[in-house]
Amino acid sequence: MQLPAPRGPLSQQVRLVLSGRATQGSMDWSSVTSLPRPADRILHDEDFQLALWMLFELHYRGFDSVDPDLEWDPLLIHSRGMLEASLESLLRDLTADDVRRANRAGGCFTNRLSGLIDELDGGSLATFLQRRATSEQFADFMRRRSIYHLKESDPQSFVLPRIDGPAKVALAELQYDEYGAGRADRLHAGLFADALDALGLDSTYGAYIEEADATTLAVNNVMSLFALRRRLRGASLGHLAAFEATSSAPCRRILSGIERLGLPAATARYFDEHVEADAVHEQLAIRSICAAMVEGEPGLADDVLFGAATCLRVEAIASETLVETWESHQLVEAPA
Amino acid sequence: MSEVPTADAQDVRTQACPGGPLLVRGAATWVDSDGIEHPVTRPVVAVCRCERSQRLPWCDGTHKFVTRTAPSVA
Ligand code: FES
Ligand SMILES: [Fe+2]
Ligand SMILES: [Fe+2]
């Protein structure tokens, strides 16, 4: 993948350092990272999100002609840490009430976690795709989703060595299913690539990064933020639980949208697989992974709830942004 | 629904999820209440217990809507 074009001073700095056209020493990171960035706008700040996304991507597939050792460059890690701290504090604020409410509801941890998830489960995007989306809008949805789904489940693999016992066993079991359960042709990221190909879209990893909006990048950054920091392992698995538990029913709706639009079978197959798979993964993630982990490490309970609430809040913001974009285009395009 | 997994049944492990499906590990096939055999294609499967799934014998998450709406009736 090529380094994406910058979208402001911060992503410009990151891009210059990664491409070797500026040395760390010549950078004045503090002036860039201390630019006034209203906390509540961070999720919509494409410069911030793209800069962070590029730094995280060094841990996944990296970029063509970027020195692989920059992954552990102390100054880049330090700069990223500042961005991560801003993002985490925004997310904590965004979800503080959700976590409090879940805890007030009481009951066993499984009930608190599933109660929180049920309460925040939106799903309006799936309903839009089911009933109203055009083929162009569906393709737009797939292009945005490709940023994550072409590396589906990869963030959570970073958490495996950080947990132990039954939770580890269950996470490995879930990941094995995501990674095709021993069959290369069933790798979920591969099924998503097939779904893109069938629509005539580009299934090359990172192909649509240039057009990814801030909220799409934020959805991805949140997963990396949680998965790459051992301290946030609870949040990462809470995020996973919320993601899996709000997937089966939406995939069924998206599937009926695919039928309505007469889209190809390979596109349907990805969502078809996820109706069944995520009904299993939901149970594994909530009970066998999160509840088991919290039993072993009770101190992680609040972070699991934090991760779950973050997943659903940020996803809702990204979905709303997407539907709003479509609706404003429709208004513009509608005959007078 | 009462099902008996066929084949090496001694290795089959089940785990009931309250209000949800039965997780089944290690089964090669699942025999439903009509005696029809369904091949198991993933390491863990969720067998529907609410009987509302549109993908019987497998759970498709529909049980949540069953349990969620039931208590809210005044
Ligand atoms: S138990 Fe999940 S749909 Fe029936
Ligand atoms: Fe998947
Ligand atoms: Fe899944």
Side-chain angles (χ1 to χ4, degrees):
Chain A
M1 177 183 14
Q2 299 293 321
L3 279 170
R7 306 202 199 165
L10 197 49
S11 50
Q12 171 76 20
Q13 292 264 37
V14 170
R15 193 179 193 281
L16 283 174
V17 174
L18 294 184
S19 59
R21 277 187 283 136
T23 57
Q24 287 283 355
S26 67
M27 288 286 143
D28 185 5
W29 286 102
S30 58
S31 71
V32 175
T33 46
S34 64
L35 286 178
R37 291 174 186 276
D40 58 333
R41 296 300 301 167
I42 284 179
L43 294 176
H44 296 279
D45 183 337
E46 54 176 0
D47 183 34
F48 179 100
Q49 296 296 343
L50 185 66
L52 190 50
W53 186 86
M54 285 191 280
L55 292 170
F56 280 144
E57 188 57 30
L58 298 173
H59 293 294
Y60 297 95
R61 314 287 203 278
F63 300 94
D64 302 347
S65 60
V66 167
D67 176 3
D69 279 332
L70 287 176
E71 177 185 359
W72 293 108
D73 181 275
L75 282 166
L76 282 179
I77 296 282
H78 175 73
S79 317
R80 195 185 83 199
M82 293 193 279
L83 304 182
E84 287 177 277
S86 316
L87 179 59
E88 185 183 343
S89 97
L90 162 82
L91 298 172
R92 298 252 175 214
D93 289 349
L94 188 69
T95 57
D97 283 345
D98 302 324
V99 174
R100 250 195 308 272
R101 233 178 306 120
N103 279 329
R104 257 205 311 268
C108 66
F109 184 74
T110 305
N111 285 351
R112 272 182 284 154
L113 177 58
S114 12
L116 180 148
I117 295 172
D118 285 351
E119 197 182 301
L120 295 180
D121 184 3
S124 59
L125 177 59
T127 308
F128 190 98
L129 293 167
Q130 176 183 17
R131 303 202 183 128
R132 296 171 52 198
T134 62
S135 299
E136 291 70 36
Q137 288 167 339
F138 191 85
D140 190 14
F141 162 75
M142 294 293 285
R143 287 196 298 268
R144 287 181 196 232
R145 289 297 161 100
S146 70
I147 309 298
Y148 171 63
H149 289 292
L150 291 175
K151 60 163 168 271
E152 186 167 319
S153 300
D154 286 347
Q156 294 76 28
S157 291
F158 286 115
V159 185
L160 271 170
R162 297 170 180 167
I163 58 173
D164 217 341
K168 186 194 203 84
V169 174
L171 178 58
E173 191 173 48
L174 191 158
Q175 293 294 83
Y176 183 60
D177 208 19
E178 297 285 356
Y179 289 145
R183 290 181 48 182
D185 63 340
R186 290 183 56 167
L187 178 68
H188 282 189
L191 294 181
F192 197 84
D194 296 344
L196 291 170
D197 289 337
L199 291 169
L201 298 172
D202 191 346
S203 62
T204 314
Y205 184 88
Y208 295 108
I209 192 62
E210 299 282 1
E211 59 179 79
D213 74 308
T215 61
T216 298
L217 295 170
V219 164
N220 283 269
N221 285 339
V222 160
M223 281 191 259
S224 298
L225 168 74
F226 291 166
L228 289 167
R229 255 177 210 271
R230 193 179 65 84
R231 171 175 62 82
L232 293 172
R233 62 200 179 282
S236 181
L237 298 181
H239 183 290
L240 173 69
F243 188 99
E244 299 290 353
T246 56
S247 170
S248 206
C251 283
R252 233 185 306 135
R253 284 190 211 114
I254 294 170
L255 209 47
S256 88
I258 289 173
E259 274 163 33
R260 174 179 61 79
L261 292 165
L263 299 176
T267 307
R269 181 163 178 241
Y270 174 86
F271 295 94
D272 188 66
E273 159 68 8
H274 281 82
V275 173
E276 245 172 70
D278 287 346
V280 179
H281 298 171
E282 164 175 1
Q283 304 300 335
L284 288 180
I286 293 181
R287 294 163 200 283
S288 315
I289 299 174
C290 288
M293 178 176 64
V294 166
E295 209 180 299
E297 290 188 272
L300 292 178
D302 276 4
D303 266 6
V304 172
L305 298 172
F306 161 58
T310 297
C311 171
L312 299 172
R313 290 276 173 202
V314 174
E315 178 54 45
I317 291 169
S319 298
E320 270 164 37
T321 306
L322 181 56
V323 173
E324 273 167 27
T325 311
W326 290 341
E327 281 175 342
S328 64
H329 284 178
Q330 267 166 3
L331 285 179
V332 173
E333 285 159 21
Chain B
M1 293 203 290
S2 82
E3 297 88 358
V4 180
T6 60
D8 44 282
Q10 69 276 19
D11 292 336
V12 174
R13 288 166 301 136
T14 60
Q15 176 190 350
C17 306
L22 181 75
L23 294 184
V24 180
R25 292 173 171 92
T29 57
W30 184 259
V31 181
D32 68 21
S33 46
D34 298 327
I36 300 169
E37 264 192 36
H38 301 268
V40 165
T41 59
R42 58 181 73 252
V44 198
V45 287
V47 174
C48 174
R49 296 194 299 164
C50 74
E51 300 188 41
R52 306 280 185 99
S53 170
Q54 289 162 29
R55 303 205 167 200
L56 289 168
W58 314 126
C59 164
D60 69 352
T62 303
H63 62 266
K64 280 201 266 187
F65 305 99
V66 179
T67 47
R68 204 189 282 172
T69 48
S72 68
V73 177

